[in-house]
Amino acid sequence: MLSLPVELRILIYALYLSELQHVPGNQQPKNTHFRLLHVCRQISYEAGQLANFRSYVSLIHEDQIAAFNANISTEAASRILHADVANDSRLVHASGHSVPASELYLVLSKLVSLRRLRVFEHNRTRPMKDFILGARFTVEFEKAMFPSGRAPQLDSYELYLSPLKSSARIFQVVSCNSVQRLRLSGDCGLPQGTKLPRLTNLAINGVTGHYLEQHMEEYFAQCQLKEFQYTQGAKPGAYFELRDRHLNSLVFGSASGLHKLVLLGCSRLSSLTLTSCLRHLDQLRYLALSFVSVHELDSDFVSAFPSSLIVLKFSISNAWYTNPLLQEEHKLCDSVEDLIIKRRPPLKFVFVNFRDEVTAMSGRGKRWTRIAEERKFALQLGAWEEDEIF
């Protein structure tokens, strides 16, 4: 490792830290990056100072939170820009006073430079014997983190919450004026009249309840979005389902300059709406579309894929499994071949997922692979959705 040029080592550290912060299945990352800081002085300096390892911390349970609070210095706390935290969300009321059940609020009060906050479920809370007998508990998502009513000016605010365990009402303490990236999940809601003037990246993953369905246009139609990512959730009907009016409000509002659009598991969008929206997104470079057709399947929206695309990930399925629309899917495959696979100049990356019998018909799969090799673009046939979940 130390025989490599320092520039390469810094890149390796950065890639390692980036991989570490990946969140598979809402699982909070651990602090394994700190191990490198104890290898030797040289690596400690390069990883800690040059690759910013000391700018990130993940606090998973109460013992870790308490230990971190007891040992972190003011100088070290001021270096932290990105924190992953498990939020207990409970306030304890006793003797006329209220205090958060977790010491997390003491830690966050020291992170004066914090710019990115990701909040996860708290699965290992303090035992009841630690609290005053007869104390009353209430759940206050943000007040448990910032009971003083003051929070840092966050650039990124992301929720990784289970839909069955907790609810979160955000922007009651955290300011919405500075947030550029927002990720919503679980049972969450925003105060009426919330404005997000700097929001450019919106992610919705497994949101439950009807709150967002009723208010999405109110909150996000005027945002200058560059990226929009949506995943419906495992059980249709239990999660917020993106509908035609929601997508129209974004695309024909202030988000016509989208560079990245990810729509996974969409079963409430019509192909007519997809066609009109895609024709309007002439700056789109990255499109990941997992489309579930319920009543109709129109191949026109393939012709609407903008010429600006560099990356395309496309999957189509039919909700009526007992009556698959094979004829329509074959037509859609023909459109993909004519308009995407044979496109000049070619895209850089193409991921396509159809039924095996549709892809294999007339040797489509082999033909597409041969064309990709000849035109030197990356092609993947088969499922890609798991890699795209954010």
Side-chain angles (χ1 to χ4, degrees), residues 273-327:
T273 294
L274 277 174
T275 301
S276 62
C277 288
L278 289 171
R279 291 191 189 282
H280 197 66
L281 298 175
D282 55 7
Q283 299 180 50
L284 196 64
R285 299 166 61 85
Y286 189 113
L287 173 63
L289 174 62
S290 175
F291 182 61
V292 181
S293 175
V294 178
H295 298 296
E296 46 82 32
L297 188 58
D298 188 348
S299 63
D300 285 346
F301 64 86
V302 176
S303 64
F305 290 163
S307 58
S308 56
L309 278 182
I310 295 175
V311 177
L312 173 64
K313 297 183 177 183
F314 182 49
S315 175
I316 187 71
S317 60
N318 176 24
W320 297 98
Y321 296 109
T322 57
N323 185 27
L325 303 177
L326 289 178
Q327 183 176 355

Side-chain angles (χ1 to χ4, degrees), residues 10-129:
I10 293 172
L11 287 176
I12 292 171
Y13 300 140
L15 287 171
Y16 173 74
L17 185 60
S18 177
E19 278 295 310
L20 174 72
Q21 295 177 64
H22 180 63
V23 183
N26 282 11
Q27 189 69 34
Q28 185 174 348
K30 298 180 180 179
N31 283 317
T32 52
H33 63 300
F34 285 138
R35 296 174 184 173
L36 275 178
L37 302 182
H38 298 282
V39 173
C40 67
R41 290 183 179 180
Q42 182 176 349
I43 289 180
S44 178
Y45 170 74
E46 292 174 352
Q49 302 297 326
L50 303 182
N52 293 323
F53 271 35
R54 298 187 189 276
S55 68
Y56 166 70
V57 68
S58 180
L59 302 174
I60 300 176
H61 54 78
E62 195 58 34
D63 290 342
Q64 189 180 47
I65 292 170
F68 185 85
N69 180 50
N71 293 287
I72 189 71
S73 67
T74 302
E75 180 185 0
S78 67
R79 297 177 188 170
I80 296 177
L81 304 176
H82 173 196
D84 291 344
V85 301
N87 183 22
D88 191 328
S89 296
R90 294 180 299 168
L91 291 181
V92 185
H93 304 270
S95 304
H97 300 283
S98 63
V99 64
S102 168
E103 290 187 26
L104 177 62
Y105 77 102
L106 297 174
V107 173
L108 292 174
S109 68
K110 298 177 180 179
L111 307 186
V112 294
S113 302
L114 192 64
R115 291 296 175 265
R116 182 180 183 184
L117 179 63
R118 301 196 301 193
V119 187
F120 295 79
E121 296 287 353
H122 198 306
N123 296 316
R124 288 171 57 183
T125 59
R126 291 169 59 188
M128 293 301 295
K129 65 181 179 62

Side-chain angles (χ1 to χ4, degrees), residues 92-303:
V92 185
H93 304 270
S95 304
H97 300 283
S98 63
V99 64
S102 168
E103 290 187 26
L104 177 62
Y105 77 102
L106 297 174
V107 173
L108 292 174
S109 68
K110 298 177 180 179
L111 307 186
V112 294
S113 302
L114 192 64
R115 291 296 175 265
R116 182 180 183 184
L117 179 63
R118 301 196 301 193
V119 187
F120 295 79
E121 296 287 353
H122 198 306
N123 296 316
R124 288 171 57 183
T125 59
R126 291 169 59 188
M128 293 301 295
K129 65 181 179 62
D130 287 357
F131 302 105
I132 298 174
L133 184 64
R136 183 172 59 90
F137 294 86
T138 59
V139 175
E140 298 283 351
F141 184 77
E142 286 190 348
K143 290 182 180 179
M145 295 188 290
F146 308 104
S148 67
R150 296 189 301 272
Q153 294 290 309
L154 298 176
D155 297 330
S156 180
Y157 190 22
E158 304 173 44
L159 308 184
Y160 289 84
L161 304 179
S162 165
L164 303 177
K165 290 186 178 181
S166 62
S167 61
R169 296 298 174 261
I170 61 175
F171 297 128
Q172 293 181 324
V173 179
V174 174
S175 172
C176 57
N177 293 324
S178 61
V179 173
Q180 300 174 37
R181 172 176 171 79
L182 177 64
R183 184 189 192 274
L184 302 176
S185 63
D187 181 9
C188 61
L190 292 71
Q192 188 173 3
T194 297
K195 302 297 181 184
L196 295 148
R198 300 189 62 191
L199 188 68
T200 58
N201 186 320
L202 173 62
I204 299 173
N205 189 321
V207 169
T208 55
H210 300 288
Y211 191 86
L212 197 59
E213 180 177 341
Q214 298 169 1
H215 298 280
M216 183 170 173
E217 298 98 316
E218 172 189 343
Y219 296 135
F220 306 120
Q222 301 306 315
C223 296
Q224 304 289 333
L225 294 180
K226 297 301 180 184
E227 297 186 11
F228 176 62
Q229 300 164 283
Y230 166 83
T231 298
Q232 179 169 280
K235 297 180 180 179
Y239 292 85
F240 162 64
E241 297 178 275
L242 192 74
R243 300 173 184 268
D244 290 349
R245 61 184 176 85
H246 300 134
L247 188 61
N248 280 326
S249 71
L250 294 178
V251 172
F252 294 98
S254 300
S256 59
L258 278 174
H259 293 167
K260 181 176 182 178
L261 177 62
V262 177
L263 302 174
L264 300 183
C266 296
S267 60
R268 294 289 185 173
L269 292 178
S270 68
S271 58
L272 181 61
T273 294
L274 277 174
T275 301
S276 62
C277 288
L278 289 171
R279 291 191 189 282
H280 197 66
L281 298 175
D282 55 7
Q283 299 180 50
L284 196 64
R285 299 166 61 85
Y286 189 113
L287 173 63
L289 174 62
S290 175
F291 182 61
V292 181
S293 175
V294 178
H295 298 296
E296 46 82 32
L297 188 58
D298 188 348
S299 63
D300 285 346
F301 64 86
V302 176
S303 64

